[in-house]
């Protein structure tokens, strides 16, 4: 039942097409196989009744033809092997179904009209007309299928053309944006070149600072893998507030890390010394178990006898550091201020 519903919902089972094909076929069977002319046969009541019977019979024959073609078109193997498919189709719809349909027509004529068509002079003509009708129906479906495919291809071409136009517009927009960025980068590059020319005048004095800046910029772009909970996450160095050692960290060979967003985790390093050697321009040691990231510092100040370093981030954390570390940090920040002024 599901297959039949799918058939009648498809273009193969369009009702008015099936009725039209059945009417044409019944006209050919009725009027072409009679002795009288077409115009004289139309006015005859007997031929009118024959036409109606032929219409019912051809309708019952054309529906299976359409259904078989519908099923054959649905098989992928037969679609890839057209010779096999048309041989099967010819055998089923021309030979088998034609013979069955012709036998039914003879039986109906004999039972209803008392006329044995096999004893007449038009046996061969009847068979040829029925075969022609079935072949005509198959040609119709083949032609319509080809038109459906061509219409689909045309529609697909239009869709692809529209898609290509959209892609062209997107490419042009990206090109425009890239050109704007290129001009922006060229301006920035020109500014950097001009600055480099100014720095060359004092090369001897600024060479160490320039190398330091380059090293610092390189360190800023680097990342480190941090284990936060049970998940490993790649974190930029600039997102780190500080590294520190908790009790038992030396035994686990892990260093604890605090991020600016308030999260905590660990890194697979067994000492702060390795971290300090890897990023010497971004971190400074503020005690035996603390390594602070310089770009994470918001302010530093004294509060009574305590030396406080206030960090950026969500918690605005305040760390107590030794006086020696406080003075060294103050000196480092002054050096960076001089570098920026140059």
């Amino acid at each position: 039942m599901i297959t039949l519903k799918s058939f009648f919902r498809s273009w193969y089972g369009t009702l008015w097409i099936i009725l039209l094909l059945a009417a044409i076929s019944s006209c050919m069977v009725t009027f072409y196989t009679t002795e009288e002319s077409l115009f004289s046969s139309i006015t005859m009541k007997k031929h009118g009744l024959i036409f109606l019977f032929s219409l019912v019979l051809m309708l019952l024959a054309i529906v299976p033809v359409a259904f078989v073609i519908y099923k054959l078109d649905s098989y992928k193997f037969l679609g890839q092997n057209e010779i096999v498919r048309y041989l099967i189709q010819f055998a089923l719809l021309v030979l088998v179904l034609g013979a069955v349909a012709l036998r039914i027509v003879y039986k109906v004529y004999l039972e209803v009209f008392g006329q044995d068509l096999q004893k007449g002079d038009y046996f061969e003509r009847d068979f040829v007309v029925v075969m022609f009708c079935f072949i005509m129906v198959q040609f119709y479906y083949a032609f319509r299928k080809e038109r459906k495919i061509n219409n689909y291809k045309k529609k697909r071409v239009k869709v692809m053309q529209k898609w290509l136009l959209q892609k062209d517009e997107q490419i042009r927009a990206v090109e425009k944006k890239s050109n704007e960025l290129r001009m922006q980068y060229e301006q920035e590059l020109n500014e950097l070149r001009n600055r480099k020319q100014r720095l060359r005048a004092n090369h001897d004095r600024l060479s160490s600072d320039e190398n330091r800046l380059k090293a610092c910029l390189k360190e800023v772009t680097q990342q480190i893998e941090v284990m936060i909970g049970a998940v490993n996450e790649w974190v930029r160095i600039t997102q780190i507030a500080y590294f520190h050692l908790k009790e038992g960290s030396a035994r686990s060979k892990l260093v604890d890390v605090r991020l600016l967003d308030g999260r905590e985790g660990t890194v697979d390093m067994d000492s702060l010394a390795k971290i300090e050697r890897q990023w010497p321009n971004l971190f400074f040691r503020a005690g035996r178990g603390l390594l602070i990231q310089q770009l994470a510092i918001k302010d530093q100040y004294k509060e009574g006898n305590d030396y406080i370093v206030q960090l950026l981030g969500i918690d605005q954390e305040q760390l107590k550091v030794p006086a020696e570390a406080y003075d060294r940090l103050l000196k480092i920040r002054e050096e960076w201020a001089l570098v920026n002024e140059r």
Side-chain angles (χ1 to χ4, degrees), residues 136-186:
M136 178 189 69
V137 172
Q138 295 179 56
F139 270 107
Y140 163 77
Y141 280 106
F143 175 74
R144 190 170 185 188
K145 179 184 177 183
E146 189 65 25
R147 288 194 62 184
K148 287 279 185 180
I149 293 173
N150 291 335
N151 291 336
Y152 173 78
K153 289 180 179 178
K154 291 178 181 178
K155 185 177 180 180
R156 184 64 177 170
V157 168
K158 290 181 180 179
V159 172
M160 291 301 296
Q161 288 176 346
K162 185 177 180 180
W163 181 80
L164 288 174
L165 288 175
Q166 292 177 350
K167 286 298 180 182
D168 288 339
E169 292 177 358
Q170 293 177 2
I171 291 172
R172 284 194 291 269
V174 171
E175 287 179 349
K176 182 179 178 181
K177 186 176 180 180
S178 64
N179 289 332
E180 292 175 354
L181 289 174
R182 182 176 56 81
M183 293 178 63
Q184 179 182 350
Y185 292 149
E186 286 179 353

Side-chain angles (χ1 to χ4, degrees), residues 21 25 28 58 62 65 69 89-90 93-95 97-98 127-143:
L21 293 173
S25 300
M28 296 179 66
M58 293 307 297
I62 288 175
V65 171
I69 295 174
Q89 183 172 323
F90 181 82
L93 301 183
V94 177
L95 301 179
L97 188 59
F127 183 77
V128 170
V129 171
V130 173
M131 295 301 100
F132 179 80
C133 291
F134 286 149
I135 294 173
M136 178 189 69
V137 172
Q138 295 179 56
F139 270 107
Y140 163 77
Y141 280 106
F143 175 74

Side-chain angles (χ1 to χ4, degrees), residues 301-308 320-323:
Y301 53 88
K302 293 181 181 180
E303 192 175 80
N305 295 326
D306 296 328
Y307 296 89
I308 306 298
K320 292 182 180 180
V321 298

Side-chain angles (χ1 to χ4, degrees), residues 57-72:
L57 292 173
M58 293 307 297
L59 183 62
L60 294 176
I62 288 175
V63 170
V65 171
F67 182 77
V68 170
I69 295 174
Y70 165 74
K71 292 299 292 181
L72 291 175

Side-chain angles (χ1 to χ4, degrees), residues 84-103:
V84 177
R85 177 257 170 85
Y86 284 114
L87 288 175
I88 295 174
Q89 183 172 323
F90 181 82
L92 288 175
L93 301 183
V94 177
L95 301 179
V96 177
L97 188 59
V100 171
L102 196 61
R103 178 57 57 185

Side-chain angles (χ1 to χ4, degrees), residues 245 248-256 266-271:
L245 295 176
S249 297
R251 275 182 270 143
S252 61
K253 294 185 179 180
L254 296 173
V255 175
D256 297 279
T266 57
V267 293
D268 189 13
M269 290 191 177
D270 55 3
S271 67

